[in-house]
Amino acid sequence: MTHAAHAFVEIEQLLHAARELSTAGRWERAASLLDAVTAEDPADRARIARAHAEVALERDWFAGTDTAAARIEGAEREFPDGDWDTGFLRLRHTYARLLHVAGTPRQGPEGKDPEALATLRDRARNLYEDAPDEVRRGWAAMYRGLIEDNHFADAAAAAGHYAQALRAGEGGADDLLAREALRHLGGHDHDHGEHERARERWRRATALGARAGAVPGTLSQHLLLATLARDTGDEAGATALATELARWARSIGAERLHAGATAFLAGAGPMPAASADGD
């Protein structure tokens, strides 16, 4: 049990509420909720610190802020003997940091530290092997795929990991995991010119994200659907969709999404589908 404003709150309910707020793009509210709690149990304090790190990581990805590093370090101090979920947050943060070379997103290994990439790949494999349940193993598989796709340019290896992640998330086990896997499998379909298959997967991903309350994630998915509209000759549809996306993204403070939609409207393509959007 935790104590918040003279009221007792179940730790599970607190963490679930903070996670849902973060998934909805309400990062400041999620952080404020966690800040408002005083936990007497050291184990509860550790879990709250970890939740803070997860919120910061989501915010950094979509809003372009830089707050997760300190939060992850704080969570790691709360788990001196190690913790799978905190280790996964560290993996996600490192993955995202290594995506940029001289401040610019870059797919593939060019310009990146080979040793850092090898360490990242090994860490993802270890998390996969040590995962305490199938959903977490699915998330580790997802990031193994992202690493192969975006840091090693090995689309074939990535697709196998994405398929495994999809199996782990399907059937309601984890809608966000299934959404992420479909998003990136659809990205491969798009790259191969299989537009109808990409559309089907991306529509399913959009629906799953909406069902899970993933507001910024669902917006980012619409940018991919706008890309398909443009690719198939429906420029009016693409423009309408991207215009609304830009409006929504700015209104919730998702500045990276807003920038992507604005660039798309100016004629550029969005970030590659396989670059992930945080999860």
Side-chain angles (χ1 to χ4, degrees):
M1 301 285 284
T2 61
H3 186 265
H6 307 292
F8 287 101
V9 179
E10 289 288 348
I11 184 67
E12 294 296 341
Q13 292 300 320
L14 170 74
L15 298 179
H16 188 70
R19 187 172 296 111
E20 286 198 339
L21 285 167
S22 182
T23 299
R26 302 295 187 182
W27 306 293
E28 288 187 15
R29 182 60 61 87
S32 295
L33 176 64
L34 294 169
D35 280 335
V37 174
T38 300
E40 298 176 357
D41 185 345
D44 286 351
R45 289 199 297 271
R47 295 176 71 188
I48 291 168
R50 186 175 64 201
H52 254 307
E54 185 173 0
V55 170
L57 191 61
E58 293 287 329
R59 183 179 185 179
D60 284 358
W61 180 262
F62 287 108
T65 51
D66 186 15
T67 61
R71 286 293 189 181
I72 292 172
E73 289 172 5
E76 288 170 336
R77 287 194 294 272
E78 295 290 337
F79 293 96
D81 296 326
D83 167 70
W84 193 94
D85 293 297
T86 305
F88 185 58
L89 291 175
R90 171 63 69 186
L91 176 83
R92 291 173 60 193
H93 182 259
T94 304
Y95 161 80
R97 179 176 55 80
L98 292 175
L99 276 178
H100 294 80
V101 177
T104 302
R106 181 176 296 178
Q107 288 188 285
E110 184 181 355
K112 301 174 184 177
D113 181 351
E115 184 175 349
L117 295 185
T119 298
L120 183 68
R121 177 189 262 168
D122 289 345
R123 189 181 303 162
R125 184 183 64 249
N126 291 340
L127 284 167
Y128 173 83
E129 293 173 349
D130 295 339
D133 55 58
E134 282 304 308
V135 168
R136 285 183 176 95
R137 185 170 291 110
W139 275 111
M142 187 70 229
Y143 269 79
R144 293 183 79 183
L146 291 171
I147 291 164
E148 294 297 337
D149 231 351
N150 297 323
H151 289 311
F152 290 94
D154 189 341
H161 294 308
Y162 295 153
Q164 186 171 7
L166 179 59
R167 289 193 295 271
E170 281 182 323
D174 189 325
D175 283 346
L176 290 175
L177 175 57
R179 168 207 173 273
E180 195 72 16
L182 286 166
R183 174 180 170 84
H184 294 87
L185 287 166
H188 284 194
D189 295 335
H190 176 263
D191 291 346
H192 296 147
E194 298 177 14
H195 290 163
E196 285 308 311
R197 191 173 187 188
R199 191 190 315 277
E200 188 272 333
R201 281 176 162 159
W202 283 349
R203 283 177 172 171
R204 284 176 60 200
T206 303
L208 288 171
R211 186 165 74 181
V215 174
T218 301
L219 290 177
S220 71
Q221 196 62 34
H222 276 86
L223 187 53
L224 298 181
L225 292 174
T227 300
L228 272 180
R230 174 175 286 173
D231 289 346
T232 54
D234 183 9
E235 186 62 32
T239 298
L241 193 54
T243 298
E244 289 308 307
L245 191 161
R247 195 191 325 273
W248 277 58
R250 169 154 283 180
S251 72
I252 66 170
E255 292 302 325
R256 290 185 64 188
L257 282 180
H258 178 264
T262 301
F264 179 85
L265 288 168
M271 287 180 66
S275 62
D277 55 21
D279 316 292

